[in-house]
Amino acid sequence: MLRAGSVVTCIACKNLLPSRMGVKFRIPLQKLHPLSRAIHHRYSANNNPQRPPHCSAARHYTSLSRLPMRPPKSRSGGHGYQQHRSFWVVRLAARLLKLRYILLGSAVGGGYTAKKTYDEWKDMLPDMSQYTWIVPDFVWELSENIDLDKLASALPELEEIAKLLPDMEKIGENFTFLKSLLSSGLGSEVNGASGLRLLLETTGESTLRATDIPPTSAAMSDSADKQFKKSSDKEKVDQLQEELLRTQLKYQRMLERLEKENKELRKVVLQKDDKGIHQRKVKKSLIDMYSEVLDILSDYDSNYNTQDHLPRVVVVGDQSAGKTSVLEMIAQARIFPRGSGEMMTRSPVKVTLSEGPHHVAMFKDSTREFDLGKEEDLAALRHEIEIRMRKSVKEGQTVSPETISLSVKGPGIQRMVLVDLPGVISTVTSGMAADTKETIFSISKAYMQNPNAIILCIQDGSVDAERSIVTDLVSQMDPQGKRTIFVLTKVDLAEKNLASPSRIQQIVEGKLFPMKALGYFAVVTGKGSSNESIDSIKDYEEDFFQNSRLLKDGMLKAHQVTTKNLSLAVSDCFWKMVRESVEQQADAFKASRFNLETEWKNNYPRLRELDRNELYEKAKNEILDEVISLSQVTPKHWESILQKKLWERVSTHVIENIYLPAAQTMNSGTFNTTVDIKLKQWTDKQLPHKALEVAWETLQEEFARFMAEYKGKDQDDIFDKLKEAVKDESIKRHKWNERAMDSLRVIQHNALEDRSITDKPQWDAAIQFMEETLQSRLKDTDSVIADMVGPDWKQRWLSWKNRTPEQHIRNETKNELERLLKLHEDHTAYLANDEVTTVRKNLEARGVEVDPALIKDTWHQLFRRHFLQKALLHCNLCRRGFYYYQRHFVDSELECNDVVLFWRIQRMLAITANTLRQQLTNTEVRRLEKNVKEVLEDFGEDTEKKVQLITGRRVQLAEDLKKVREIQEKLEAFIEALHKEK
């Protein structure tokens, strides 16, 4: 049966070519279906049509490949013809099966062609792999959350898709030819044409069933013709082509949607990559890299004659000539403050223009983006520029040389760096500084004297050319006009007001002004209204030049008009200048870097190259470590220092105002009463204040001590001025908690009211405290008396010192008063008037004239020494008086109330020191540490303060090295990117 199918197939293919069978038409081999050509060439090698070779390819596609092979039947002679008629049913079934092979082979060939067409169509798609970085990372993580196997199983099978893609026109032509061929003289093979309906029927029907075979060949032929007419090939082909077109449109829409999403994602990435939308860093544009170099150079003060000769476009012009409007047209936004006739540009404004997905502006030192498409953001941007200009102007000045850096990005903007300078004026008006005119000239010259700067000279076309000031200035800076572009503004007003339009022609041809220029342009920047938008100004400019006589009569050329042509020309000139000069500037900074590094190696070989900010951070850490050390001071140390300093502060008051007056009383009751009153008054008014002053001074001294002790082998003297300033400012800001005074007063009052000495050690401690205090006071008093009377006889003989006349009088007075004290040992603290007179007369009798005030002053010191000596003797007697104290000195002549007083003072000092220590460690040290941190933060934000406090050649050299390295590295990166762009 397989061989029978091969015969039918071979006969069908041979009938498609010129043969000896008398077919009247010919079809070229190239027009046949590829599968038919393949079958023809396969069997054309056998010259014997009666014994075709075995077709192994057919076995793969037939479901009857396991049936037994049958030998072919002979077709010659009449007997063969009778036998042929006897087995017509079997032969018909065999031919139908062989037709099925042809149809299935055609389907496979069509599928192959469809696959090839699909591969070619897929190759035509753009390579999206280089844009995969734009897609957020979460898209690639979808595979972890989506079951791709289920999704793949839901897609249609390859066979179903292949049915939609074959070239059905060629298949239809082959089917039509086969039908006509089978129905025109092939005998029983005509019946096999009814098998074509197997392909046109639905896939759910059986391909070959024995019951479908008609009983007679005539009935089956009629049924096949009717079925052919009902389902025409053309309708099927049209239906399949429509389905194919729908599929193509579907994929085309998907591609367009992906391209649109890709574009939007790229815009978002380019605009807001620094806000964390995507983790990959987007490369900076060339103009942004170049602008960063200019920003660093503007802050760099070169000491090695490395001047800034990098190109930029300098916009100069007379005041109100329209230079700011021209810059706004180039930037495509009204970004500058506006005013009518008054000076609005008070400082240079560096504008970096670059192309971007959105029209936005941003300051160099700010992260805020101003959307230039929104009027609110435009107003805020203009207000911010005006505020920055006013801040940069110093008191008493009108303009400032400080540069404000601004970047503007937007679609269609030409890449360049422009500097808008204050307008040149001829007269200083009221409200301006006297040197405003000269300052503007100096600022303009400083920018224009750069040999690589492009000068954009703006001239007002609506005023007389003879009134121009800026043209003379520009001609001085660039006499040959090799880097000057002349721009004539307000041409609409000029054409309207000037009687001779040829004057405008003379200006733009460079024949009227003495200056020369690379190019001349005429522009219109609006009708003069501040509310005009950029689009309306562009439309007005284009309409004006289209209808202007200047352009129609040939006075102006088309490339010389409109701000669009101007921006293109300026951008081309700018980049040409950049490419010609940037490498030379990089070499200059490389040489400067070598000089600086050599100086550092020779002068500071063992030190790191730390700039001012790094040195400040190092000093900041050291100061914070010193402050933290305060919290590590032991309580015992705090209390010891506080108690000692507090007693030094109040001891004079205790001795002079409390102890001495109370000791002059006659009995113990009066002594105690006097002491209590005076202690109460002292506690209410002075003692708490004195205690807090002592605590605050102790904190300062300890802070200063720790800062001084930290100066060890690693201490850098360059920080001394900074540390001193931080210490002073922190102490100045620190304020003691006033609430502590009230509680401290109560604690001190309760401590002084307690008179109960509980044990002998406390009594002995009070005796010792009293004795040390009295001895110290006695020593001080002896020193005062020695100064009053001068050297004694030993010092005079051994040291060759003599007394002064005043010291001689003092000495005679002292001797006279000492004789009085020997006669009256219990004398009061004050001399009576008659006693003063007696002493004076006795001295006069010896030839010494003395003033009564000097006598009293000398008596005060002598009596003080006499009293302290008696008190020390009494203190020694009271060492064994604790027993009498416990009995309240009953039946005893010894009274030690002064010892109790000193014990009360000593206990008050200890309690006060403990209270102050707790307040220091719990509150004040932390508050001081906080103040120090605030001062350090304030100093860190104040650049001028850091320059003032961290100075020296070492610091300046490190600063210059850092700047020069940064400039050189950025220039080299820019040059590399510039070469890649070429």
Side-chain angles (χ1 to χ4, degrees), residues 82 438 547 629 705 873 936:
Q82 183 67 29
E438 290 75 14
N547 302 320
S629 299
R705 182 177 66 84
L873 292 175
L936 288 172

Side-chain angles (χ1 to χ4, degrees), residues 639 642-643 646-647 650 682 687 751-752 769 904-914:
E639 293 181 9
L642 288 170
Q643 187 171 350
L646 182 59
W647 176 239
V650 302
W682 183 45
L687 183 58
L752 290 173
F769 176 61
R904 294 166 68 182
I905 297 295
Q906 186 183 32
R907 186 168 182 272
M908 181 274 299
L909 292 174
I911 294 176
T912 303
N914 181 268

Side-chain angles (χ1 to χ4, degrees), residues 511-527:
K511 298 179 180 179
L512 188 61
F513 291 107
M515 60 170 288
K516 299 179 181 180
L518 286 172
Y520 297 84
F521 290 86
V523 299
V524 175
T525 55
K527 301 178 181 179

